[in-house]
Amino acid sequence: TIIHLFKQIFKAGLELQEDDHSKALLVSRVKKAENTIVDVNGAKFGDGNPHYIFGPCAVESYEQVAQVAEQIKNKGLKIIRGGAFKPRTSPYDFQGLGFEGLEILKRVADEYGLAVVSEIVSPADVEKAAEYLDVIQIGARNMQNFELLKAAGEVNKPIVLKRGMSATVSDFINAAEYINSRGNGQIILCERGIRTYETSTRNTLDITAVPILKQETHLPVMVDVTHSTGRRDLLIPAAKAALAIGADGIMAEVHPDPAVALSDSQQQMNFDQFDQFISEVVNKKY
Amino acid sequence: TIIHLFKQIFKAGLELQEDDHSKALLVSRVKKAENTIVDVNGAKFGDGNPHYIFGPCAVESYEQVAQVAEQIKNKGLKIIRGGAFKPRTSPYDFQGLGFEGLEILKRVADEYGLAVVSEIVSPADVEKAAEYLDVIQIGARNMQNFELLKAAGEVNKPIVLKRGMSATVSDFINAAEYINSRGNGQIILCERGIRTYETSTRNTLDITAVPILKQETHLPVMVDVTHSTGRRDLLIPAAKAALAIGADGIMAEVHPDPAVALSDSQQQMNFDQFDQFISEVVNKKY
Amino acid sequence: TIIHLFKQIFKAGLELQEDDHSKALLVSRVKKAENTIVDVNGAKFGDGNPHYIFGPCAVESYEQVAQVAEQIKNKGLKIIRGGAFKPRTSPYDFQGLGFEGLEILKRVADEYGLAVVSEIVSPADVEKAAEYLDVIQIGARNMQNFELLKAAGEVNKPIVLKRGMSATVSDFINAAEYINSRGNGQIILCERGIRTYETSTRNTLDITAVPILKQETHLPVMVDVTHSTGRRDLLIPAAKAALAIGADGIMAEVHPDPAVALSDSQQQMNFDQFDQFISEVVNKKY
Amino acid sequence: TIIHLFKQIFKAGLELQEDDHSKALLVSRVKKAENTIVDVNGAKFGDGNPHYIFGPCAVESYEQVAQVAEQIKNKGLKIIRGGAFKPRTSPYDFQGLGFEGLEILKRVADEYGLAVVSEIVSPADVEKAAEYLDVIQIGARNMQNFELLKAAGEVNKPIVLKRGMSATVSDFINAAEYINSRGNGQIILCERGIRTYETSTRNTLDITAVPILKQETHLPVMVDVTHSTGRRDLLIPAAKAALAIGADGIMAEVHPDPAVALSDSQQQMNFDQFDQFISEVVNKKY
């Protein structure tokens, strides 16, 4: 019948349209079939093996960062993270040490042979920050700060791009495209939970976003188990699920003494918990 | 200082209150430390090993169910599911075969030595349905149909209780308590995705609900990978994540010919895909 | 070009499909252009004037209901509501007086010349309840309890159908269609807030659902300002917004002494607040 | 009993804590009881009368803006808006004319005696933009771009701050506090819909956020009816609801020929619709 014919054409049109769209994107798997591999100090995100980024929520002092770096180094890992520019809901919460924090990170990283990841929040700081950092992180609140994305697209440094709190998978992919369209294709996508009505966790870890992102793009995808759950007791189970579903890496927060941390004290691991995480997740053979 | 003292008392009060609440519930881990094990035809949900429930979305005919049963039996599995009473958004969609469907299920189950799981939607049908079924399922749309929960609490049959589309973990636990408070403690909780703004999946699989439910209750927890994702291509990855995070079981839909299925044709596995699921998930040794 | 032609056909196909769907529904404005008017004791919902349903959350005693009825009667209003079957999250919360509650409501309503609205939660109770009630309410938790909807479709009584906590507008319209498809077209739709991430209100009042529902269906649409906001201080502003956007009626809870109410004590109005509501909303001339 | 005593202290502690928090904020009603009035070219937002901001989504040309300005001027209104820096989901969508767009806006505004509102997206542009603009808008995607908020706090210009897509009321208030804490107290809050599961509107207009924001802060609160609904047919009803619930102003998009607009063509009013909006909303006497 005519109606049936119309429906077939309609479906074909729909698929055509979708194809058009994803073909256009540089980050799309349609554009490039093989995985992009982002090499951070020898940790090759996207090579099929899991890689890890640990460190304190915020840089508080040289000693604090050095203590964590020692733990990371001893476990044979290669990357440390720490926040120097902290986007905080209230202007009266601790805002981070800024460039002083980046200097601490760099000094420690050099001493321990680690690569450094830290969040940058202002387009004007990107170029200068690139001197201190091995990887620039763009946080969830800035996922659609397009000026920052453009600036990140113009440096020659790997970028960890976190998913916005209410970003769809499609919004997220387009945010990555902003970076790639300016020339920088070294992008690691990071699922970190989305905002839903559920309150038993800080956010809802959208675990199936991992295989979807890996299907639709050629970029490595990691999972931040700290911010997605907001609960120390869920870090290990969430990390296991993330690896099982195909994540290329895990990010989690570690602090020498979480109880006195200047931010996120409820969700960072202490060193004993870090040891447990290493033995149950990182060193586990599957 | 006085303020500090107040804050300590405040915190203590808060914890006291929460304790009170969870102590009261029969399903709470506080009330009973050891796992409840629900035995369905020898599949012991809650015993530490994963168990599986497969079958078509809807019962359509004896032949259709028998074909699926044969596949299940050949794989050494013990349980089949199939919908006879289908809660559908539109009154003009296929509503299921009703008791005729239950008869088909029972006949096939007897022939193949399988246990049968099917959804019941009306409190008045629970008792009669119990004659046909080994496990009664209460669906997401009925998770707070308290009359149905009460009726389910008065039969001596295991219940699979699905999480409501916008139920919090706490709502879900309380729904289980409705069943348990009437005497029936054989309850399997089933996470099946929650409704969020994200549209790349049918629902958002709330994977961390699994360890939370296992912490807070002593009940077995399974994951319906079909309804949470709504995408055939995500069934295997989602199942891997669910098992990795500690789920006691997986539910997924299988149909001899999904393309002509009377409901949910986009998300059911055909037999080749079912074989793949078995080899990648069920028979995988970890 | 061919592509352009395809796109035009695609769009036409899309519109065709949508038309098909909405044409099929009995509740659709496409099917019947003029407003359905539901007459409840002379209050004609859908006639262009606002009508009101007030009363306590739960029926607690004859005296309590009679006190509220007197207030309603004195204000020249015609309808009282009160819950006898209470769907509560926990099985240990007050579950309502059941048929005893309906008897109290009927007795009071007869004495004061009011019509009675009350929620029914079990399909088996619908017919018997119809002897006591002038309007049967189906609550948010039961919006997709399709057996209950079907039972409601078979009595000759107006139905107030509340929107489910995570129901889309389309789900809501289809739920109404379940009732109408069984023969009962006297349906009042009631927006009562949806579940979102926002916690400053109990639910998020989806105010634009009102004009959308009035465009898409010919049914009267009212707003429950009590459950959507969960805050006594927002009842008057929310009611003003609802009337301004075209709602056919408002539902709100009133209790002689909210502080000792057996349910929802935080959100019911006392008699002074009720007076204020009447003068600022009901008797206000626009 | 001891338990009861504890509960009383607990409640007192809870209230104390909340008081503490809101007392600290400069934007809080607790800090300053009377309304802040923000004067934009004689339109005094917060004075108890509604004020209006109309204009095209994006500045496309001098002629386009001038045509809209003439309409606005003829209707006796005082403010025009237009986007020059457009935050777009895809890097390949029209990104706005930038400073060239601001020049067009300023030229037109001078010719017609209107004040100009436009969005700024980069902290580095705030100072220069202040030379062109009467009001700086911070968009939803940048509500937690804290560097931008700080920059906005350091100019002497009114700021329209839009609510983030998944910002709670509390997040929103804290974002305003970032601006105020840097010295700029001329802030107009703008509710523009939140992201929920509902798809019949582009976002869900959280109408009760208006009275809550007015209770909790002393700032004027307006509603963007264009972005909250995303539907031209809902602009008038949504504006009526917003004014009825106490909004201090309305923002809506107007374009000489929406069908050819470079962005948001589905939701802008043409001039006939604008006339209708004026007669049904702006000139309506309540």
Side-chain angles (χ1 to χ4, degrees):
Chain A
T1 68
I2 287 279
I3 300 251
H4 181 73
L5 189 68
F6 244 67
K7 284 189 179 169
Q8 292 309 105
I9 297 176
F10 169 76
K11 275 189 190 171
L14 192 57
E15 280 156 24
L16 211 77
Q17 203 180 52
E18 281 172 357
D19 272 8
D20 265 352
H21 182 69
S22 47
K23 248 175 220 157
L25 298 186
L26 298 171
V27 299
S28 168
R29 184 71 80 177
V30 179
K31 196 85 172 187
K32 170 167 171 280
E34 67 275 20
N35 282 348
T36 286
I37 292 177
V38 179
D39 187 337
V40 181
N41 198 23
K44 296 184 164 64
F45 288 86
D47 69 354
N49 298 307
H51 303 286
Y52 298 90
I53 301 177
F54 294 109
C57 178
V59 173
E60 296 166 11
S61 68
Y62 169 78
E63 288 70 25
Q64 173 231 23
V65 179
Q67 280 180 280
V68 178
E70 194 177 5
Q71 294 285 324
I72 290 172
K73 169 113 187 146
N74 288 346
K75 286 161 173 61
L77 299 170
K78 297 172 170 148
I79 311 172
I80 188 168
R81 58 147 285 145
F85 298 93
K86 302 297 305 170
R88 302 299 298 275
T89 301
S90 162
Y92 308 123
D93 287 337
F94 174 59
Q95 308 273 318
L97 298 179
F99 280 103
E100 191 192 334
L102 296 190
E103 272 166 33
I104 290 172
L105 279 170
K106 184 160 176 48
R107 184 178 149 203
V108 172
D110 286 348
E111 289 172 5
Y112 290 87
L114 301 176
V116 176
V117 183
S118 196
E119 178 170 357
I120 299 304
V121 297
S122 181
D125 291 345
V126 169
E127 211 177 316
K128 186 174 166 203
E131 296 167 23
Y132 297 87
L133 299 175
D134 300 285
V135 179
I136 291 170
Q137 179 177 306
I138 294 182
R141 287 176 178 79
N142 281 316
M143 193 206 80
Q144 291 196 318
N145 180 343
F146 300 118
E147 300 310 305
L148 186 59
L149 297 176
K150 290 173 193 170
E154 282 162 9
V155 290
N156 182 22
K157 285 282 172 186
I159 308 293
V160 167
L161 176 65
K162 291 205 170 180
R163 181 179 184 181
M165 234 174 274
S166 60
T168 61
V169 165
S170 167
D171 292 343
F172 192 16
I173 291 173
N174 275 286
E177 185 72 10
Y178 262 95
I179 299 171
N180 206 346
S181 70
R182 296 286 171 133
N184 187 357
Q186 300 176 74
I187 305 162
I188 301 171
L189 301 174
C190 182
E191 158 67 26
R192 45 78 70 209
I194 60 175
R195 195 164 253 190
T196 72
Y197 69 83
E198 176 60 57
T199 53
S200 66
T201 43
R202 180 163 161 179
N203 291 285
T204 297
L205 172 56
D206 181 10
I207 195 80
T208 57
V210 175
I212 296 173
L213 289 166
K214 290 198 65 70
Q215 267 182 47
E216 309 226 337
T217 79
H218 47 75
L219 301 174
V221 179
M222 69 188 306
V223 172
D224 173 349
V225 294
T226 302
H227 289 93
S228 49
T229 65
R231 286 171 58 157
R232 207 178 284 129
D233 62 335
L234 296 179
L235 301 179
I236 290 175
K240 288 177 178 175
L243 295 181
I245 210 166
D248 296 296
I250 302 288
M251 182 184 287
E253 291 180 359
V254 178
H255 191 284
D257 187 357
V260 302
L262 296 178
S263 56
D264 283 354
S265 65
Q266 302 303 312
Q267 64 192 30
Q268 303 192 57
M269 291 183 274
N270 64 26
F271 291 155
D272 284 349
Q273 290 155 344
F274 187 29
D275 285 345
Q276 198 190 346
F277 191 99
I278 295 294
S279 72
E280 291 195 30
V281 178
V282 180
N283 293 340
K284 186 90 170 202
K285 287 292 155 272
Y286 292 95
Chain B
T1 68
I2 287 280
I3 300 251
H4 182 72
L5 190 66
F6 245 64
K7 284 189 179 169
Q8 292 309 105
I9 296 176
F10 170 75
K11 276 189 189 169
L14 192 57
E15 282 156 22
L16 209 76
Q17 203 180 49
E18 282 172 355
D19 273 8
D20 264 352
H21 182 68
S22 48
K23 249 176 219 157
L25 298 186
L26 297 171
V27 298
S28 166
R29 184 71 82 177
V30 179
K31 195 84 171 187
K32 171 167 171 277
E34 69 275 20
N35 281 349
T36 286
I37 293 177
V38 179
D39 187 339
V40 181
N41 198 21
K44 296 185 164 64
F45 289 85
D47 70 353
N49 299 307
H51 303 286
Y52 298 92
I53 301 177
F54 293 109
C57 178
V59 173
E60 296 167 10
S61 67
Y62 169 79
E63 289 68 26
Q64 172 230 25
V65 179
Q67 280 179 283
V68 179
E70 194 177 4
Q71 295 284 324
I72 289 172
K73 169 115 188 142
N74 287 347
K75 285 160 174 65
L77 299 169
K78 298 176 171 146
I79 310 173
I80 189 168
R81 58 147 284 145
F85 297 93
K86 302 296 305 169
R88 302 299 298 277
T89 302
S90 161
Y92 309 122
D93 287 337
F94 175 58
Q95 307 274 317
L97 299 178
F99 279 103
E100 190 192 334
L102 296 191
E103 272 166 31
I104 290 171
L105 281 170
K106 185 163 176 47
R107 184 179 149 202
V108 172
D110 287 348
E111 289 171 7
Y112 290 87
L114 302 176
V116 177
V117 183
S118 197
E119 178 170 357
I120 299 304
V121 297
S122 179
D125 291 344
V126 170
E127 210 176 318
K128 188 176 166 199
E131 296 168 23
Y132 297 87
L133 300 175
D134 300 286
V135 178
I136 291 170
Q137 179 178 305
I138 294 181
R141 288 177 178 77
N142 282 315
M143 193 205 81
Q144 291 194 319
N145 179 342
F146 299 117
E147 299 309 304
L148 185 59
L149 298 176
K150 289 174 192 169
E154 282 163 8
V155 288
N156 183 21
K157 286 279 173 186
I159 307 294
V160 167
L161 176 65
K162 291 203 170 182
R163 182 180 183 181
M165 234 174 271
S166 60
T168 61
V169 166
S170 167
D171 292 343
F172 192 15
I173 292 173
N174 275 286
E177 184 72 10
Y178 263 94
I179 300 171
N180 207 345
S181 69
R182 295 286 171 133
N184 186 357
Q186 300 176 74
I187 304 163
I188 301 171
L189 301 174
C190 183
E191 159 65 29
R192 47 76 71 206
I194 59 174
R195 195 163 255 187
T196 72
Y197 69 84
E198 176 60 58
T199 54
S200 66
T201 42
R202 179 163 162 180
N203 292 285
T204 297
L205 172 56
D206 181 9
I207 195 79
T208 56
V210 175
I212 296 173
L213 288 166
K214 290 196 65 71
Q215 267 181 47
E216 308 226 337
T217 78
H218 47 76
L219 301 174
V221 179
M222 68 188 306
V223 171
D224 174 349
V225 293
T226 302
H227 290 92
S228 49
T229 66
R231 287 172 57 158
R232 206 178 284 126
D233 63 335
L234 295 180
L235 301 180
I236 290 175
K240 288 178 178 173
L243 295 183
I245 211 167
D248 297 295
I250 302 289
M251 183 184 285
E253 290 180 359
V254 178
H255 190 283
D257 188 357
V260 301
L262 296 179
S263 57
D264 283 355
S265 66
Q266 302 304 312
Q267 63 193 32
Q268 303 192 58
M269 292 183 272
N270 64 25
F271 290 155
D272 284 349
Q273 291 155 342
F274 187 30
D275 284 346
Q276 199 190 346
F277 191 99
I278 295 293
S279 73
E280 291 195 31
V281 178
V282 180
N283 292 339
K284 186 89 169 200
K285 285 291 154 273
Y286 292 93
Chain C
T1 69
I2 288 278
I3 300 253
H4 182 72
L5 190 67
F6 245 65
K7 283 190 178 167
Q8 293 309 104
I9 296 177
F10 169 76
K11 275 190 189 168
L14 193 57
E15 282 155 23
L16 210 77
Q17 201 180 50
E18 281 172 357
D19 273 10
D20 264 353
H21 182 70
S22 49
K23 247 175 218 156
L25 298 186
L26 298 171
V27 299
S28 167
R29 183 73 79 179
V30 179
K31 196 85 172 188
K32 171 167 171 275
E34 67 275 21
N35 281 348
T36 286
I37 292 177
V38 179
D39 187 337
V40 182
N41 198 22
K44 296 183 164 64
F45 288 85
D47 69 354
N49 299 308
H51 303 286
Y52 298 91
I53 302 177
F54 293 109
C57 178
V59 173
E60 296 166 10
S61 68
Y62 169 80
E63 288 69 25
Q64 172 231 24
V65 179
Q67 280 179 283
V68 178
E70 194 176 4
Q71 294 284 324
I72 289 172
K73 169 114 190 146
N74 289 346
K75 285 159 172 65
L77 299 170
K78 296 174 173 149
I79 310 172
I80 188 169
R81 58 146 283 144
F85 297 93
K86 301 296 304 170
R88 301 300 297 276
T89 301
S90 162
Y92 309 122
D93 286 338
F94 175 59
Q95 307 274 317
L97 299 178
F99 280 102
E100 191 193 334
L102 296 191
E103 272 166 33
I104 290 172
L105 280 170
K106 184 159 178 51
R107 184 178 149 202
V108 172
D110 287 348
E111 289 172 5
Y112 289 88
L114 301 176
V116 176
V117 183
S118 196
E119 178 170 357
I120 299 303
V121 297
S122 181
D125 292 344
V126 169
E127 210 177 317
K128 187 175 165 198
E131 296 168 22
Y132 298 86
L133 300 175
D134 299 285
V135 178
I136 291 171
Q137 179 177 307
I138 293 181
R141 287 177 180 77
N142 282 314
M143 192 205 81
Q144 291 195 319
N145 179 342
F146 300 117
E147 299 310 302
L148 186 59
L149 297 175
K150 290 173 192 171
E154 282 164 8
V155 289
N156 182 22
K157 286 281 171 183
I159 308 293
V160 167
L161 176 64
K162 292 203 169 180
R163 181 180 184 182
M165 234 173 271
S166 60
T168 61
V169 166
S170 166
D171 292 342
F172 192 16
I173 292 174
N174 274 287
E177 185 72 10
Y178 263 93
I179 299 171
N180 206 346
S181 70
R182 296 286 171 133
N184 186 357
Q186 301 175 72
I187 304 163
I188 302 170
L189 301 175
C190 183
E191 159 67 26
R192 47 77 71 207
I194 60 174
R195 194 164 254 188
T196 73
Y197 70 84
E198 176 60 57
T199 54
S200 67
T201 43
R202 180 164 162 178
N203 292 286
T204 297
L205 173 56
D206 181 8
I207 195 80
T208 57
V210 175
I212 296 173
L213 289 166
K214 290 197 65 71
Q215 267 181 44
E216 309 227 336
T217 79
H218 47 75
L219 301 174
V221 179
M222 69 188 306
V223 172
D224 174 349
V225 293
T226 301
H227 289 92
S228 51
T229 65
R231 287 172 56 158
R232 207 177 283 128
D233 61 335
L234 296 178
L235 300 179
I236 290 175
K240 288 178 177 173
L243 295 182
I245 210 167
D248 296 296
I250 301 289
M251 182 184 287
E253 290 180 358
V254 178
H255 190 285
D257 187 357
V260 301
L262 295 180
S263 58
D264 284 355
S265 65
Q266 302 303 312
Q267 63 192 30
Q268 302 192 57
M269 292 184 272
N270 65 25
F271 291 155
D272 284 349
Q273 290 155 343
F274 187 29
D275 285 345
Q276 199 190 345
F277 191 100
I278 295 294
S279 73
E280 290 195 32
V281 178
V282 181
N283 293 340
K284 185 89 169 201
K285 287 290 154 272
Y286 291 94
Chain D
T1 68
I2 287 279
I3 301 252
H4 182 72
L5 189 66
F6 245 66
K7 284 189 178 167
Q8 292 309 104
I9 295 176
F10 171 76
K11 276 191 190 167
L14 192 58
E15 281 155 24
L16 209 75
Q17 202 180 51
E18 281 172 356
D19 273 9
D20 264 351
H21 182 68
S22 48
K23 247 176 221 158
L25 297 185
L26 297 171
V27 299
S28 166
R29 184 72 80 176
V30 179
K31 196 85 171 185
K32 170 166 171 278
E34 68 274 21
N35 282 348
T36 285
I37 292 177
V38 179
D39 187 337
V40 181
N41 197 23
K44 296 184 164 64
F45 289 85
D47 70 353
N49 299 308
H51 303 286
Y52 298 91
I53 301 177
F54 294 109
C57 178
V59 174
E60 297 167 9
S61 69
Y62 169 79
E63 289 69 25
Q64 172 230 26
V65 179
Q67 280 179 282
V68 178
E70 195 177 4
Q71 294 284 325
I72 289 172
K73 168 120 191 137
N74 288 347
K75 286 163 173 62
L77 298 170
K78 299 177 170 142
I79 310 172
I80 189 168
R81 57 147 284 144
F85 297 94
K86 301 296 304 169
R88 302 299 297 275
T89 301
S90 163
Y92 308 123
D93 287 338
F94 175 58
Q95 307 274 318
L97 299 179
F99 280 103
E100 190 191 334
L102 295 191
E103 272 166 32
I104 290 172
L105 279 171
K106 183 160 179 49
R107 183 176 150 205
V108 172
D110 287 348
E111 289 171 7
Y112 290 87
L114 301 176
V116 177
V117 183
S118 197
E119 178 170 356
I120 299 304
V121 297
S122 182
D125 291 345
V126 169
E127 211 177 316
K128 186 174 166 201
E131 296 167 24
Y132 298 87
L133 300 176
D134 300 285
V135 179
I136 292 170
Q137 179 178 305
I138 294 181
R141 286 176 180 78
N142 282 316
M143 192 204 81
Q144 291 195 319
N145 180 341
F146 299 118
E147 299 310 304
L148 186 59
L149 297 176
K150 289 173 192 169
E154 281 163 10
V155 290
N156 182 21
K157 285 281 173 186
I159 308 294
V160 167
L161 176 65
K162 291 204 170 183
R163 182 180 182 181
M165 234 174 271
S166 60
T168 61
V169 166
S170 166
D171 292 342
F172 192 16
I173 292 173
N174 275 287
E177 184 72 10
Y178 262 94
I179 300 171
N180 206 345
S181 69
R182 295 286 171 133
N184 186 356
Q186 300 176 74
I187 305 162
I188 302 172
L189 301 174
C190 183
E191 158 66 28
R192 47 77 72 205
I194 60 174
R195 195 164 254 187
T196 72
Y197 69 84
E198 177 60 59
T199 55
S200 65
T201 44
R202 181 165 162 177
N203 291 286
T204 298
L205 172 56
D206 181 9
I207 195 79
T208 56
V210 175
I212 295 173
L213 289 166
K214 290 197 65 71
Q215 267 180 45
E216 308 227 338
T217 79
H218 47 75
L219 301 173
V221 179
M222 69 187 307
V223 171
D224 174 348
V225 293
T226 302
H227 289 92
S228 50
T229 67
R231 287 172 57 158
R232 206 178 283 126
D233 62 335
L234 295 179
L235 301 179
I236 290 176
K240 288 178 179 175
L243 296 182
I245 211 166
D248 296 296
I250 302 288
M251 181 184 287
E253 291 181 359
V254 178
H255 190 285
D257 188 356
V260 302
L262 296 179
S263 57
D264 283 355
S265 66
Q266 302 304 311
Q267 64 193 29
Q268 302 191 59
M269 291 184 274
N270 64 25
F271 290 156
D272 285 349
Q273 291 155 343
F274 187 29
D275 285 345
Q276 199 189 346
F277 191 99
I278 295 293
S279 73
E280 291 195 31
V281 178
V282 181
N283 293 341
K284 185 88 168 202
K285 287 291 155 274
Y286 291 94

